[in-house]
Amino acid sequence: MGVTKSPSDTATVAQHSLRAALSDPTLKTLASAILVATVGRGIFLTLTVLYFSRFVGLSALEIAVILSVSSGVGVATSYIGGRLADRFSARRLLVGMVAIEGLAIATYTFAGNFSTAVVIACIAVGMNRGANATRSAIIARAFVGPNRVNARAVLRTITNLGIAVGGMIAGLALLAGTADAFRGMMIGAGAVYVLSALHLRHLPTRVDAPRHDPAAPDPKRGISPFRDRRYVLLTVLSGIFGMQFGLAEMGVPLWISQDTRAPDVLISVILVINTLCVVLLQVPLSRGTDNPRRAGKIVKTGGVLMAVACALYATAGGVPEIAAITLLCGAALLHSFAEILSQAGAWGLSFELANPLKAGAYQGMFGMGSALGAMLAPLVVTATVVEHGVLGWVILGVVFLASAAGTALIARKASTTAALAPAARSLA
């Protein structure tokens, strides 16, 4: 007879996993810098839209354009950041990008009109996406095998913690409700980013791309990631599934407030459910995804859970309040598990199927998929859930399931190819 773990036991296991992972000095440096930066990001995310609306006087349409245009810039800088990490010092590049992002965040307080806000947003989001790609290239070089995915899982866990803390700190400005309170808090958020950038200087030199001796023959660097059809397809499918983040940020809150009988406070409850699940489970559920076949199975499981979550979200639209609350909480729990599993599997495949000689370019292109998914998510969610209700949920469920199945197929073929390679060499 098995023993069921209590929430405290689960938290203890997660705490020990994080502590063990952070014994690595490189991961410890990345984690501590991200913790500081994401506290600032939590403040920024909580206050920016309200600041533009209340104190700058921008319309909802203008704010949407700012978000869309800056996301488009982020698609390009995701790849550019990765490419630059193959040519220059990834450490210095990451320090510079994070510092510029911090300065841009602080500069938001001086945006008095739409045009200025667009420029600042493009700089901030562009640097953020480029830094993410550079950070992924650093992880690809600093760690091997399962340690790569574990590092990503640890950093994502800490990111959620930092954003949650930042959101709570931003609540002080919300309580004050004044322009000065908002400005002071946002300047503080930018300053925190700059501090985290300074800490990144402690990263070891081994995270930089190997230097090429000009006197030596030019080494074969492998094909461009854009010519690697398998990796391009993986990037596209992962970007499609990544739209579930936009669904959580926009589609679910709108569905709860406009189309169900559940109270609006449930939106906050669902956010807490997601944060707790990621913090407690991202690291343990990411283990083993350095194996492509296992990574594919995990992504497929995430797709099934996401499809079921969409069905539960849809069902909550036509039932009494208590039933709606129950269905929505169940959907949020499945959605959180789907998010955790899909991310873990995608990370493993993004590392294992990449050309190690072009770690930055490959990770940069994979980041482009995520950025493109984030950019398109509001449009797709609006065209499905917001416009067509239950039918929209069905369409999204099918899309998520299909993208996960496609990713699993790529992983299975990659595993088969890898298994046949040694046999082919032995017969040669």
Side-chain angles (χ1 to χ4, degrees):
M1 184 176 177
V3 179
T4 303
K5 290 185 178 181
S6 68
S8 61
D9 291 334
T10 304
T12 301
V13 171
Q15 186 179 19
H16 288 323
S17 298
L18 281 173
R19 191 177 300 162
L22 294 175
S23 62
D24 181 275
T26 301
L27 184 54
K28 187 175 182 178
T29 299
L30 287 171
S32 54
I34 280 183
L35 179 61
V36 173
T38 51
V39 169
R41 186 159 186 78
I43 295 171
F44 167 74
L45 292 174
T46 304
L47 300 181
T48 307
V49 171
L50 289 177
Y51 178 78
F52 282 153
S53 176
R54 291 182 184 177
F55 304 114
V56 180
L58 301 184
S59 67
L61 177 60
E62 287 175 322
I63 293 173
V65 170
I66 290 171
L67 296 176
S68 297
V69 172
S70 59
S71 294
V73 171
V75 173
T77 56
S78 292
Y79 181 67
I80 293 171
R83 283 297 300 270
L84 292 177
D86 282 340
R87 296 178 177 270
F88 304 100
S89 168
R91 292 175 302 137
R92 294 173 183 172
L93 192 63
L94 184 59
V95 169
M97 286 181 170
V98 173
I100 293 173
E101 183 184 0
L103 293 174
I105 286 174
T107 310
Y108 267 105
T109 56
F110 301 103
N113 54 61
F114 172 74
S115 300
T116 306
V118 169
V119 173
I120 296 173
C122 287
I123 294 172
V125 175
M127 290 297 104
N128 178 263
R129 294 295 185 179
N132 287 344
T134 303
R135 194 178 292 111
S136 293
I138 287 173
I139 293 171
R141 295 192 188 107
F143 306 96
V144 295
N147 291 331
R148 287 172 172 169
V149 178
N150 186 63
R152 286 292 298 264
V154 168
L155 295 180
R156 186 160 185 271
T157 299
I158 290 173
T159 295
N160 276 263
L161 284 172
I163 289 177
V165 172
M168 288 188 287
I169 293 173
L172 297 175
L174 294 175
L175 287 173
T178 65
D180 287 341
F182 273 64
R183 292 190 187 103
M185 195 69 76
M186 290 168 68
I187 290 173
V192 164
Y193 259 87
V194 175
L195 289 176
S196 74
L198 296 176
H199 186 66
L200 289 168
R201 295 181 302 168
H202 299 299
L203 286 169
T205 56
R206 65 188 176 92
V207 304
D208 292 333
R211 291 187 177 182
H212 172 56
D213 183 357
D218 190 30
K220 291 183 178 180
R221 303 296 289 174
I223 65 172
S224 163
F226 286 100
R227 297 176 61 189
D228 187 336
R229 287 180 293 181
R230 179 178 68 181
Y231 204 86
V232 170
L233 184 56
L234 171 67
T235 297
V236 170
L237 292 174
S238 297
I240 290 173
F241 201 97
M243 290 192 297
Q244 56 87 16
F245 288 108
L247 181 64
E249 294 168 2
M250 176 184 172
V252 172
L254 288 176
W255 180 252
I256 290 173
S257 63
Q258 297 178 6
D259 296 280
T260 77
R261 296 174 183 172
D264 287 349
V265 71
L266 193 66
I267 297 172
S268 297
V269 173
I270 285 176
L271 178 61
V272 171
I273 290 173
N274 177 264
T275 302
L276 287 176
C277 285
V278 172
V279 169
L280 295 176
L281 300 173
Q282 185 69 74
V283 173
L285 292 184
S286 298
R287 294 190 184 117
T289 54
D290 58 301
N291 180 299
R293 183 176 288 274
R294 175 169 170 75
K297 289 180 179 178
I298 284 178
V299 171
K300 191 173 182 179
T301 301
V304 172
L305 293 178
M306 194 66 225
V308 176
C310 287
L312 293 181
Y313 282 132
T315 306
V319 297
E321 180 178 350
I322 300 300
I325 292 173
T326 303
L327 287 168
L328 290 168
C329 287
L333 189 61
L334 293 179
H335 190 159
S336 298
F337 273 92
E339 174 188 326
I340 291 167
L341 294 175
S342 64
Q343 288 287 282
W347 293 334
L349 292 171
S350 73
F351 288 127
E352 297 303 319
L353 302 187
N355 184 330
L357 295 177
K358 285 197 168 184
Y362 270 76
Q363 294 305 315
M365 193 181 79
F366 192 77
M368 281 183 67
S370 301
L372 191 59
M375 182 181 74
L376 295 178
L379 299 176
V380 173
V381 170
T382 299
T384 53
V385 172
V386 176
E387 295 293 333
H388 298 288
V390 172
L391 177 60
W393 283 111
V394 172
I395 293 172
L396 281 183
V398 172
V399 168
F400 289 132
L401 190 59
S403 64
T407 301
L409 182 60
I410 291 173
R412 190 171 66 203
K413 288 186 175 181
S415 301
T416 303
T417 302
L420 291 175
R425 286 196 296 267
S426 65
L427 293 173

